[in-house]
Amino acid sequence: MGILDGNPKDEPLHYGEIFHVWQFSATAKAMLSTLELYRCHAGDKDLKRVIDDLMDQALREIKDCDKLLKNNEILPPPLLPDRPSARLEDIPAGARFSDPEIGAALSAKIAAGLVACSQILGMCIREDIAALFLKTHTLKANTGLAVLRLNKEKGWLIPPPLQVKRELVNA
């Protein structure tokens, strides 16, 4: 029986898995702080609902990563302090993120999270870690689709140049 046989949870983590799980936890904690900020700035109720869903997702990611790290006797990164609550009306207009800005930022952050999950999946040798990040990737992809729909429905999406098919004219 080899070192990587049997229950994946009994297998050692390799340094890449340790680093990436630790980094993913740190990134999720930073994202949670950013989402708290966006929540204060958002005016649209549908956008607030998506932000709440993303906050719940970030909390699950933090819990899963930190549990994995602790179970392997690795100290997880610290949580950032909670932001004080602010009402949208109290934020000066020139200092406020607009709903379209928040929607675009959420799309970019979700896309970066999908890339990170894919990278971790590709380098894992422990099946439990691969399964965790496959689940996380799927949740992020679904949330990304919801944000895309929201951005399109609200008219916030700025598409890149679109290819318009034209009939060729015989010259």
Side-chain angles (χ1 to χ4, degrees):
M1 193 164 201
I3 194 168
L4 299 177
D5 292 344
N7 185 349
K9 293 179 181 181
D10 295 333
E11 296 172 0
L13 295 169
H14 67 69
Y15 290 108
E17 289 169 331
I18 294 168
F19 173 77
H20 284 94
V21 172
W22 193 95
Q23 184 64 40
F24 199 88
S25 174
T27 302
K29 290 171 182 173
M31 182 63 175
L32 184 60
S33 179
T34 301
L35 290 167
E36 289 173 352
L37 174 73
Y38 289 160
R39 184 74 171 79
C40 293
H41 286 244
D44 185 87
K45 65 177 175 53
D46 296 326
L47 180 59
K48 287 182 180 184
R49 192 175 12 237
V50 167
I51 292 170
D52 290 340
D53 291 345
L54 283 166
M55 289 174 78
D56 290 341
Q57 187 173 336
L59 287 167
R60 282 192 307 273
E61 292 168 3
I62 292 165
K63 179 183 169 199
D64 290 343
C65 288
D66 287 1
K67 179 180 177 186
L68 181 64
L69 291 168
K70 289 175 186 175
N71 288 345
N72 287 278
E73 300 177 1
I74 299 162
L75 188 64
L79 271 169
L80 297 171
D82 287 336
R83 290 184 176 273
S85 185
R87 293 180 325 138
L88 180 63
E89 302 80 32
D90 296 336
I91 303 169
R96 191 179 314 156
F97 287 111
S98 68
D99 290 345
E101 287 174 305
I102 295 169
L106 293 177
S107 292
K109 298 237 183 235
I110 291 168
L114 288 168
V115 170
C117 287
S118 294
Q119 184 178 20
I120 295 167
L121 274 166
M123 51 78 58
C124 277
I125 59 172
R126 274 194 35 178
E127 296 160 33
D128 59 327
I129 298 173
L132 171 64
F133 283 94
L134 179 59
K135 176 185 83 169
T136 303
H137 188 279
T138 303
L139 290 170
K140 281 190 180 300
N142 287 334
T143 307
L145 183 58
V147 172
L148 173 61
R149 285 184 182 135
L150 178 71
N151 283 330
K152 288 172 87 173
E153 288 169 6
K154 302 291 181 174
W156 300 338
L157 182 70
I158 301 172
L162 302 174
Q163 178 186 18
V164 179
K165 296 195 179 199
R166 298 183 199 123
E167 289 186 36
L168 295 175
V169 179
N170 292 334

